[in-house]
Amino acid sequence: MTEAMPDPIRTGAAKPRRFVLALGALLAVAGLGLAATRASAEDARVIPAPAVDEAAPPAGSEVAVLAGGCFWGVQGVFQHVEGVSNAVSGYAGGEKSTAHYETVGSGRTGHAESVQVTFDPRKISYGRILQIYFSVAHDPTELNRQGPDVGTQYRSAIFPVSAEQASVAKAYVAQLGQARVFPAAIVTRIEMDRSFYPAEDYHQDFLVQNPTYPYIVFNDLPKVANLKRLFPDLYRVKPALVAEARASN
């Protein structure tokens, strides 16, 4: 890693994040961490596959850029998806000059903590990527927050890299809304023409490298468990790591 890890309690976090960290630690000490994880794992939803998907996906690999709260958990989920070759934590929605963790944490840069997912469309479609995103990676009904994290930098957002991706995303949001899959309206924003900027090295592969970190135990490991439970055909045991992808390039 090229940068030193900052204070373990992320400096951009609000008081609720600190509370969850403390609660997770207490649960682990009390031997209740597993029970909490199982309870949280029930939050995921079984949702229909998209009725509209890409008609002619590009040859080779494809990229999807998604935001759904803290990027640690979103990255961790997609690293365990079959057909994904890389999932990079980063920032999208703002300018390159402000794409830095401490600055994004102010909530004033326009950025959202995001993940750039590189996948093989012959193994998994863009629509199926979105199905996992809406089902287990985050709660698309939360406006400018996910779990203990609050602010526009934690918004639910899709950053299409093509007009076809945008059409698929819009159609799927409409489909899920009409089906009333969620108890509240989907607030996911679809933001075109936004660049993605990788986050600092210490944020990459964070879930894999820190599986006992209280925030990860309480908020993110249940998401990976949900992926395995609800999408067994798409779950991969060995995660696609950023470090390995860099080494192979």
Side-chain angles (χ1 to χ4, degrees):
M1 296 188 294
T2 59
E3 298 187 52
M5 180 67 183
D7 188 314
I9 297 179
R10 304 169 71 204
T11 54
K15 289 182 179 179
R17 169 73 68 84
R18 294 175 183 268
F19 170 77
V20 170
L21 284 170
L23 176 61
L26 288 172
L27 288 171
V29 170
L32 298 176
L34 180 58
T37 298
R38 286 175 175 168
S40 300
E42 299 305 316
D43 294 340
R45 292 181 180 273
V46 176
I47 64 175
V52 177
D53 210 333
E54 288 183 302
S61 62
E62 187 175 357
V63 167
V65 180
L66 308 166
C70 175
F71 43 31
W72 293 344
V74 179
Q75 180 191 47
V77 166
F78 284 103
Q79 286 181 316
H80 282 280
V81 172
E82 192 66 46
V84 170
S85 59
N86 201 8
V88 179
S89 290
Y91 314 104
E95 301 299 323
K96 182 178 181 179
S97 61
T98 58
H100 306 286
Y101 178 69
E102 299 300 333
T103 310
V104 172
S106 71
R108 297 190 296 269
T109 67
H111 282 292
E113 290 197 10
S114 308
V115 176
Q116 183 186 69
V117 181
T118 302
F119 62 99
D120 184 345
R122 295 168 299 178
K123 296 181 179 179
I124 182 171
S125 69
Y126 179 69
R128 290 281 271 168
I129 290 286
L130 293 184
Q131 186 181 18
I132 292 170
Y133 166 72
F134 284 115
S135 175
V136 305
H138 83 307
D139 182 350
T141 69
E142 291 282 357
L143 182 64
N144 296 331
R145 70 171 300 155
Q146 286 292 312
D149 303 308
V150 180
T152 58
Q153 68 271 33
Y154 300 114
R155 68 186 180 273
S156 173
I158 298 170
F159 300 93
V161 300
S162 69
E164 188 170 22
Q165 281 194 358
S167 295
V168 172
K170 291 175 183 176
Y172 198 28
V173 169
Q175 176 189 341
L176 295 176
Q178 291 171 1
R180 298 186 182 278
V181 172
F182 297 96
I186 294 174
V187 297
T188 305
R189 294 172 53 176
I190 299 173
E191 305 181 33
M192 289 292 296
D193 302 321
R194 300 292 188 180
S195 296
F196 174 83
Y197 305 99
E200 296 81 355
D201 284 352
Y202 57 78
H203 287 301
Q204 306 302 338
D205 302 333
F206 195 90
L207 182 149
V208 175
Q209 293 183 10
N210 301 275
T212 61
Y213 192 54
Y215 181 92
I216 295 295
V217 171
F218 192 84
N219 295 286
D220 296 334
L221 289 184
K223 297 179 181 180
V224 178
N226 285 335
L227 174 69
K228 183 178 181 179
R229 178 171 60 92
L230 298 181
F231 297 91
D233 59 322
L234 293 176
Y235 176 79
R236 58 184 287 176
V237 175
K238 187 178 185 301
L241 299 178
V242 174
E244 292 181 356
R246 288 175 177 173
S248 62
N249 291 335

